[in-house]
Amino acid sequence: MTAPSLPLVVVTGGAGFIGSHTVDRLIESGHRVVVLDNFSTGKRANLARWATDDRLRIEVCDVSHGIFAALAPVTAALGPVERIVHLAAQVSVVHSVANPLVDMQVNYGGTLHVLEYARATGVKKVVFASSAAVYGDVTEMPVPEDIKCAPVSPYGIDKLASELALDYYAVVHAVPATWLRFFNVFGPRQDPSSPYSGVISIFSDRARAGKGLTIFGDGGQTRDFVYVGDVVSAIAAALRDGNSRVVANVGTGREISVLELARTIVELCAGSSAITHAPARAGEILKSRARVDRLRDVLGVVATTSLVDGLRATLG
Ligand code: NAD
Ligand code: UD1
């Protein structure tokens, strides 16, 4: 049954890892959702549960070419877009170092196209997936949002440029926006198939199969790994929040070294995967841990899933 009175939310990148969990939560909580995705890393299988449900529409669209054409038939049928969650992006830091122009076109260009649509059609809220990569190599841990950002990769630069664009559109064109700086997100449906994939998806996939794990560098680098369910809670809270120009870290406030992570995953798999080392990758930060007061105080969200519980859910 069509439910025309339910608010209409666009999720760019909605067929991806974080996007598909976001779509699940939005539909479950009474929204209609339009996914815009070019399926470069996203999969229809991630949205299979809604395949015959008309609360979900999927439009193939490359956000770096604009979103007006893809949304025109949708809004003609369903009415105006109320809110947008903008997740579509090239997500690998390492890929951005090798391909900075692609990263700029997709990650910064895509954000500008989303903002142009929001400005022209009066969208009530844009929530943007920014990244801890905007900070670069900072010494203050946990990292507060108001520290000087000094990204060390094209990916971090394009996320920061996108944040500046959101701020500009909020101030000059009255497009309400919240940008969330995700730390390292993990959980089911994170695709392990590319060398650029997230470390937990790669390690889990290989450890389950009894294959060896490769650590880039000495493994002393740390990350704040946050479970996807908690990230979706932050996105949902930001969509509801009536404030504009809010920036908040989305992490746990805890960090773990990549070496300790590898050992934990091998142990949880009760396996014997060898852990070896390869040279460190360019453009990567060394330490990362979120200050999470603002996430809690402004958006009312605390990332409660422990690393081990999240790893168990990921390993299945
Ligand atoms: P993902 O690769 O699973 O999802 C990205 C989605 O965007 C995919 O469905 C992909 O097909 C789509 N996409 C890519 N380029 C597109 C384009 N030009 N037009 C339309 N769709 C396009 O990755 P994810 O981990 O779910 O990342 C979602 C967002 O969160 C990204 O913006 C990413 O930068 C951000 N983020 C992720 C993490 C993390 O640890 N996973 C951390 C910080 C920020
Ligand atoms: C990740 C996200 C990025 C996000 C950022 C926020 C992915 C692919 N990247 O980047 O979108 O903005 O978090 O903090 O989701 N490593 C290994 N062996 C491997 C793979 C990785 O040792 O097989 C190491 C890397 O060298 C790095 C760490 O694990 O030190 C994390 O790497 P990765 O999962 O690629 O994430 P980030 O670069 O932190």
Side-chain angles (χ1 to χ4, degrees), residues 173-188:
H173 299 300
V175 175
T178 297
W179 44 106
L180 301 172
R181 292 176 178 161
F182 300 162
F183 280 60
N184 286 58
V185 188
F186 75 103

Side-chain angles (χ1 to χ4, degrees), residues 2-210:
T2 310
S5 55
L6 300 177
L8 188 62
V9 179
V10 166
V11 181
T12 72
F17 161 50
I18 301 170
S20 62
H21 287 280
T22 303
V23 170
D24 290 349
R25 183 79 64 88
L26 287 172
I27 295 179
E28 282 161 4
S29 61
H31 299 83
R32 294 172 301 162
V33 175
V34 184
V35 164
L36 300 183
D37 204 298
N38 71 351
F39 293 94
S40 51
T41 57
K43 298 187 192 72
R44 282 185 191 272
N46 287 340
L47 299 168
R49 107 178 234 215
W50 308 108
T52 58
D53 191 315
D54 63 8
R55 287 173 296 177
L56 175 66
R57 257 178 98 143
I58 301 173
E59 299 293 326
V60 178
C61 166
D62 183 333
V63 294
S64 66
H65 297 154
I67 67 173
F68 282 89
L71 286 173
V74 178
T75 52
L78 302 179
V81 172
E82 189 178 281
R83 283 154 213 268
I84 301 179
V85 182
H86 178 41
L87 302 171
Q90 183 300 111
V91 308
S92 165
V93 174
V94 180
H95 183 279
S96 81
V97 174
N99 304 280
L101 285 167
V102 172
D103 199 84
M104 187 261 287
Q105 279 156 4
V106 174
N107 290 7
Y108 180 55
T111 304
L112 285 184
H113 281 298
V114 166
L115 286 168
E116 274 297 284
Y117 184 87
R119 176 181 70 82
T121 65
V123 165
K124 288 186 185 147
K125 188 70 178 273
V126 177
V127 175
F128 171 64
S130 189
S131 165
V134 299
Y135 292 120
D137 269 317
V138 291
T139 46
E140 190 176 337
M141 289 288 154
V143 191
E145 287 86 353
D146 51 11
I147 201 169
K148 183 178 183 305
C149 290
V152 293
S153 64
Y155 174 87
I157 291 170
D158 292 324
K159 288 291 185 184
L160 184 58
S162 294
E163 291 189 1
L164 294 172
L166 284 149
D167 200 41
Y168 160 75
Y169 273 78
V171 172
V172 177
H173 299 300
V175 175
T178 297
W179 44 106
L180 301 172
R181 292 176 178 161
F182 300 162
F183 280 60
N184 286 58
V185 188
F186 75 103
R189 298 184 205 155
Q190 192 169 26
D191 183 1
S193 64
S194 143
Y196 299 130
S197 296
V199 65
I200 288 185
S201 69
I202 294 175
F203 283 0
S204 301
D205 194 49
R206 294 187 67 83
R208 256 190 315 235

Side-chain angles (χ1 to χ4, degrees), residues 239-254:
L239 268 184
R240 283 191 306 267
D241 184 34
N243 297 306
S244 183
R245 302 175 68 211
V246 170
V247 49
N249 287 337
V250 179
T252 64
R254 298 181 293 276

